[in-house]
Amino acid sequence: LRNLYDGVPMDEVYKASILAARTLIEKDPDYTYATARLLLHTIRKEVLGQEVAPQELAQAYADYFPQFIQKGVQAELLDEKMQQFDLQRLGQALKPERDHKFDYLGLQTLYDRYFLHIRKTRIEMPQAFFMRVAMGLSLNEIDREARAIEFYEVLSSFDFMSSTPTLFNSGTLRSQLSSCYLTTVPDNLDGIYESIKENALLSKFAGGLGNDWTRVRALGSHIKGTNGESQGVVPFLKVVNDTAVAVNQGGKRKGAVCTYLETWHLDIEEFLELRKNTGDDRRRTHDMNTANWIPDLFMKRVMEKGEWTLFSPSDVPDLHYLFDKKFKKAYVVYEQKAARGEIKPSRTLQATDMWRKMLSMLFETGHPWITFKDACNVRSPQQHVGVVHSSNLCTEITLNTSDTETAVCNLGSVNLVQHLKDGANGKEVDHDKLKKTISTAMRMLDNVIDINYYAVKKARDSNLRHRPVGLGIMAFQDSLYELRVPYASQEAVDFADRSMEAVCYYAYLASTELAKERCKYSSYRGSLWDQGILPIDSLDVLAKERGGYVEVDRSSTMDWDALRKKIALDGMRNSNCVAIAPTATISNIIGVDASIEPCFGNLSVKSNLSGEFTVINHYLVRDLKRLGLWDDVMVMDLKHFDGSLRPIDRVPQEVRAVYATAFEGGTTWLGEAGARRPLTTCVPWAPPTPRNPP
């Protein structure tokens, strides 16, 4: 009422009601659904041009859908092939009641950044959006309508969600659907700027980038062509950073890139400081992620308190391509040469000093991330066709790259909390539903590879040859809430093990079924899959190569022998199948906690390009209401204590344990849960001692 005035337009009345409702979300999380309903009313009025009674909505959706597709094609937003579907059948398959599954943050995010529009006027409603994505992924299917409806069902029910590029671009004229692109940068100006150009082209259509810069010579290295000295990697990384800012994924979200550098590179110490807020700003990259690419030998030197030598890659070019024992052998020879003064420039320091600086920068800036080169290569199914030189933007996939191949990965995540059922001892994983969802999801991800728009030929060649996909999970924390299990507990670690084992098993099963239907991926012969070595088996290979230092529980509950036999018979459709992505935005869309992470705060404010949103833990509010503890004082206490229950004594201890935030649970438990997920390639570096988390 305070926002109303004489002559106020009705659009302003609707907006005022939304803004008024959103202020009450902190009082009761159900207000997020009330606010979403008000926003939904506005969206329908904008798209349909009129208000529609609830009982008439199904018919209104069915009538509108063919017109929406036609309008999108005429506006050169949608692919003309979309008109070849039986649009009446698909319109009848839409389920408008699923519009009510959205909370306010999810629906507002879709409205602002995902729904198609013509000159800022939306032409897409929520269920039409999901069907448009499903149709775009079904273009090459034989029974396109049946597959589109199948894909629509898993998307609109929130059982599975494709990654943001797929949601942005599926069915459009530029259907860039892949999430991640990985490149390795050569040590010459042509190659460097060609790589930066590729970054710009891939970022334009919403791809996330991972760049390996290890080959570029270090500061002070000799340049033969000019008889001068190199300025090293850092000045180029400033250009990479600014390119990501300038080419902001088609204006829909910020450009994103992660740069990887191996630990023996002579510029590594300056690389560690790229994200600092002090120092020469011309040698800082505030908008870019950075990551260490660490060989096992360095970790052994740290544990043994030995020395570590830094080189320019122009003097030791083969180190970039070597891993494990071959790397160690070559590295030691180069160390001896450097000690004799035969390799300049080089520098020797204590390995523990370098490790301490890495951890200090990680604590201060959150970067560079820690990634392990040898584990990623030893366990790579594709080591017969190349070397893994880096991970991707968010460090969830490890694919080989070269001067002729830009690696690509296609992501999507299962909503784990939607795959729990009541069992004899409480909630448990619903294996039948999980298997069915993953079978559909893997088909969707595999379809991306053939439909995808490739801005760079090297990416197309690589993706069609190896066909990697990354099926992940989200809502792990939500599942623990349903199970009444604290994240910081052995029960949570065991659930991480069992649930991810099931996801991996059904993903591999779906891929081998696709191989039977569609044929194996072309570089299958010689891969670890072909040798009968599955990802969980490769842990034994890693332990052998490392000489220990792999203290990971390897127990299993699924019939892996039967799966090995099936893969030996039918092969695999995809070289890589699973990857746990951050799911930052798609988790917002479906209203769950992101990825496999613990809750950030039980009452917090989330900021994104759509604005600021109050987020409150509805599981917690449900339990506090049951205990008679939810009131205005509790809201104020949660605000005061930054969303933490720990200092609020009147809340029972068992409730505080279940709803402990990421800052309270102890990071050791995160490592324990991660180590028990059998897909993990970057196995934590652990000495052979009993693991007993505090």
Side-chain angles (χ1 to χ4, degrees):
L1 289 173
R2 285 195 296 267
N3 284 298
L4 302 185
Y5 53 90
D6 286 343
V8 59
M10 280 306 297
D11 287 348
E12 291 298 318
V13 176
Y14 297 142
K15 188 180 295 184
S17 67
I18 294 171
L19 295 175
R22 68 180 282 178
T23 63
L24 299 172
I25 292 173
E26 67 182 37
K27 303 285 187 182
D28 191 310
D30 283 345
Y31 270 107
T32 190
Y33 296 102
T35 311
R37 299 278 179 96
L38 291 165
L39 175 58
L40 195 58
H41 172 269
T42 302
I43 294 172
R44 288 171 179 167
K45 194 168 184 301
E46 178 180 344
V47 175
L48 299 177
Q50 61 183 11
E51 298 185 26
V52 181
Q55 64 272 20
E56 298 172 358
L57 192 56
Q59 190 57 49
Y61 247 124
D63 294 340
Y64 140 82
F65 185 72
Q67 300 170 22
F68 152 65
I69 296 296
Q70 184 178 6
K71 186 182 293 186
V73 171
Q74 289 174 349
E76 297 184 342
L77 297 174
L78 295 179
D79 191 323
E80 289 183 354
K81 295 177 184 176
M82 300 285 275
Q83 291 181 309
Q84 297 172 7
F85 285 80
D86 183 344
L87 299 179
Q88 271 69 33
R89 178 183 174 187
L90 298 183
Q92 292 291 338
L94 300 178
K95 296 184 176 177
E97 66 274 12
R98 290 184 176 175
D99 284 354
H100 295 160
K101 293 175 69 70
F102 291 104
D103 63 12
Y104 175 56
L105 170 58
L107 189 58
Q108 188 70 60
T109 300
L110 284 180
Y111 177 82
D112 288 340
R113 294 155 57 193
Y114 289 75
F115 290 166
L116 296 179
H117 62 86
I118 299 174
R119 292 183 292 278
K120 302 298 182 183
T121 298
R122 303 304 183 277
I123 64 171
E124 196 166 39
M125 293 203 299
Q127 299 309 308
F129 161 73
F130 286 130
M131 185 58 83
R132 183 258 297 172
V133 174
M135 291 165 65
L137 294 174
S138 308
L139 288 171
N140 294 342
E141 294 281 2
I142 296 172
D143 189 346
R144 290 181 299 183
E145 286 77 15
R147 288 299 183 187
I149 292 171
E150 177 187 344
F151 298 166
Y152 165 80
E153 284 292 325
V154 297
L155 292 171
S156 63
S157 64
F158 294 174
D159 286 344
F160 167 81
M161 193 56 59
S162 297
S163 63
T164 284
T166 304
L167 300 180
F168 275 162
N169 300 322
S170 184
T172 65
L173 287 179
R174 289 286 185 273
S175 55
Q176 196 300 108
L177 313 178
S178 295
S179 304
C180 309
Y181 293 86
L182 291 73
T183 65
T184 180
V185 181
D187 184 31
N188 58 74
L189 272 182
D190 283 348
I192 288 170
Y193 280 96
E194 184 64 29
S195 297
I196 293 173
K197 174 188 173 184
E198 285 185 13
N199 276 5
L201 289 171
L202 296 169
S203 181
K204 176 181 178 181
F205 296 105
L209 306 164
N211 296 158
D212 156 45
W213 281 79
T214 298
R215 285 194 290 175
V216 176
R217 69 191 64 201
L219 177 67
S221 299
H222 182 251
I223 302 174
K224 185 176 180 180
T226 62
N227 199 32
E229 290 187 352
S230 170
Q231 290 297 301
V233 172
V234 171
F236 294 116
L237 298 186
K238 180 68 172 174
V239 179
V240 173
N241 179 89
D242 294 345
T243 300
V245 173
V247 188
N248 64 340
Q249 305 200 21
K252 293 182 177 180
R253 63 176 181 170
K254 294 179 181 178
V257 61
C258 182
T259 292
Y260 290 77
L261 202 69
E262 289 198 42
T263 313
W264 51 264
H265 196 290
L266 197 56
D267 288 346
I268 188 69
E269 291 179 287
E270 192 173 9
F271 180 79
L272 295 177
E273 298 182 343
L274 282 173
R275 290 294 296 261
K276 287 185 70 173
N277 289 320
T278 57
D280 185 355
D281 208 54
R282 292 169 297 182
R283 302 185 79 81
R284 297 289 180 264
T285 57
H286 302 298
D287 307 284
M288 183 178 75
N289 299 322
T290 58
N292 270 306
W293 197 237
I294 303 173
D296 281 1
L297 181 61
F298 173 75
M299 296 306 301
K300 287 183 178 179
R301 295 283 178 89
V302 170
M303 297 175 114
E304 296 164 359
K305 294 183 169 48
E307 292 184 331
W308 186 248
T309 305
L310 307 178
F311 302 100
S312 172
S314 54
D315 297 319
V316 291
D318 56 329
L319 290 185
H320 181 250
Y321 300 95
L322 301 176
F323 57 89
D324 202 57
K325 293 176 181 176
K326 292 181 179 179
F327 174 89
K328 178 182 178 181
K329 182 178 180 180
Y331 183 86
V332 169
V333 170
Y334 287 132
E335 269 190 320
Q336 294 168 351
K337 287 185 176 181
R340 296 193 297 266
E342 296 174 18
I343 297 180
K344 294 181 181 180
S346 64
R347 182 170 172 237
T348 300
L349 67 167
Q350 289 296 312
T352 50
D353 291 343
M354 174 67 75
W355 182 240
R356 188 175 294 110
K357 185 168 185 178
M358 286 180 184
L359 298 185
S360 298
M361 287 298 99
L362 195 62
F363 181 81
E364 180 180 339
T365 70
H367 292 84
W369 300 331
I370 303 295
T371 55
F372 296 111
K373 171 185 181 178
D374 290 341
C376 291
N377 276 285
V378 168
R379 299 191 66 200
S380 169
Q382 294 296 97
Q383 55 193 261
H384 66 303
V385 291
V387 178
V388 180
H389 295 300
S390 72
S391 186
N392 64 317
L393 167 66
C394 306
T395 318
E396 74 265 25
I397 57 172
T398 49
L399 305 173
N400 49 284
T401 56
S402 68
D403 287 335
T404 59
E405 289 192 341
T406 293
V408 188
C409 199
N410 320 288
L411 305 180
S413 294
V414 173
N415 183 359
L416 191 59
V417 75
Q418 293 267 97
H419 295 81
L420 300 180
K421 66 177 182 179
D422 293 325
N425 300 310
K427 297 281 187 180
E428 60 184 29
V429 174
D430 185 341
H431 282 264
D432 291 338
K433 182 178 179 181
L434 186 63
K435 180 181 179 181
K436 183 179 178 183
T437 297
I438 289 176
S439 176
T440 299
M442 288 293 288
R443 191 178 194 93
M444 295 167 71
L445 293 172
D446 189 62
N447 285 357
V448 165
I449 297 167
D450 298 308
I451 296 168
N452 194 50
Y453 168 76
Y454 296 96
V456 175
K457 182 180 181 297
K458 289 191 292 184
R460 182 181 186 277
D461 294 344
S462 174
N463 214 21
L464 291 175
R465 185 181 179 207
H466 309 303
R467 305 189 72 85
V469 301
L471 181 83
I473 63 171
M474 51 187 161
F476 180 77
Q477 175 69 92
D478 299 68
S479 301
L480 294 182
Y481 292 149
E482 289 286 356
L483 295 168
R484 310 291 301 160
V485 169
Y487 202 113
S489 68
Q490 188 60 43
E491 292 88 346
V493 172
D494 292 339
F495 177 69
D497 192 339
R498 294 193 308 273
S499 60
M500 203 63 224
E501 180 187 2
V503 169
C504 290
Y505 187 94
Y506 295 132
Y508 305 154
L509 178 61
S511 185
T512 191
E513 289 283 3
L514 283 170
K516 183 178 181 181
E517 176 188 340
R518 297 177 168 178
C519 83
K520 309 177 187 75
Y521 69 92
S522 63
S523 61
Y524 173 80
R525 187 64 59 199
S527 67
L528 292 192
W529 301 109
D530 184 38
Q531 298 174 45
I533 301 174
L534 273 59
I536 61 168
D537 305 324
S538 64
L539 280 169
D540 296 326
V541 180
L542 178 64
K544 181 180 178 181
E545 293 294 325
R546 266 188 187 174
Y549 298 97
V550 182
E551 297 298 313
V552 179
D553 186 295
R554 305 182 205 178
S555 60
S556 59
T557 60
M558 312 287 285
D559 189 354
W560 289 95
D561 287 338
L563 183 58
R564 287 188 190 91
K565 291 176 183 176
K566 185 169 185 351
I567 292 173
L569 182 65
D570 296 326
M572 292 288 283
R573 179 65 173 168
N574 312 98
S575 63
N576 295 65
C577 295
V578 283
I580 299 181
T583 74
T585 309
I586 61 173
S587 292
N588 289 346
I589 290 171
I590 66 175
V592 298
D593 268 38
S595 193
I596 53 173
E597 298 300 319
C599 176
F600 174 78
N602 291 302
L603 177 60
S604 60
V605 175
K606 186 182 290 287
S607 298
N608 61 23
L609 292 180
S610 295
E612 294 189 342
F613 300 85
T614 299
V615 178
I616 188 165
N617 188 336
H618 63 92
Y619 297 99
L620 170 64
V621 175
R622 175 195 63 189
D623 284 355
L624 293 181
K625 282 182 176 180
R626 179 173 50 82
L627 296 169
L629 294 174
W630 184 251
D631 52 27
D632 289 343
V633 176
M634 182 63 71
V635 174
M636 293 305 297
D637 282 348
L638 283 172
K639 286 182 177 179
H640 180 73
F641 295 118
D642 295 324
S644 172
L645 287 175
R646 179 184 281 178
I648 307 176
D649 293 335
R650 66 183 182 279
V651 178
Q653 175 56 38
E654 61 271 18
V655 175
R656 282 184 280 169
V658 170
Y659 295 105
T661 68
F663 304 100
E664 301 163 5
T667 53
T668 306
W669 291 105
L670 280 172
E672 279 293 312
R676 291 284 285 273
R677 294 185 174 96
L679 86 164
T680 308
T681 53
C682 297
V683 174
W685 185 271
T689 56
R691 300 172 75 86
N692 186 23

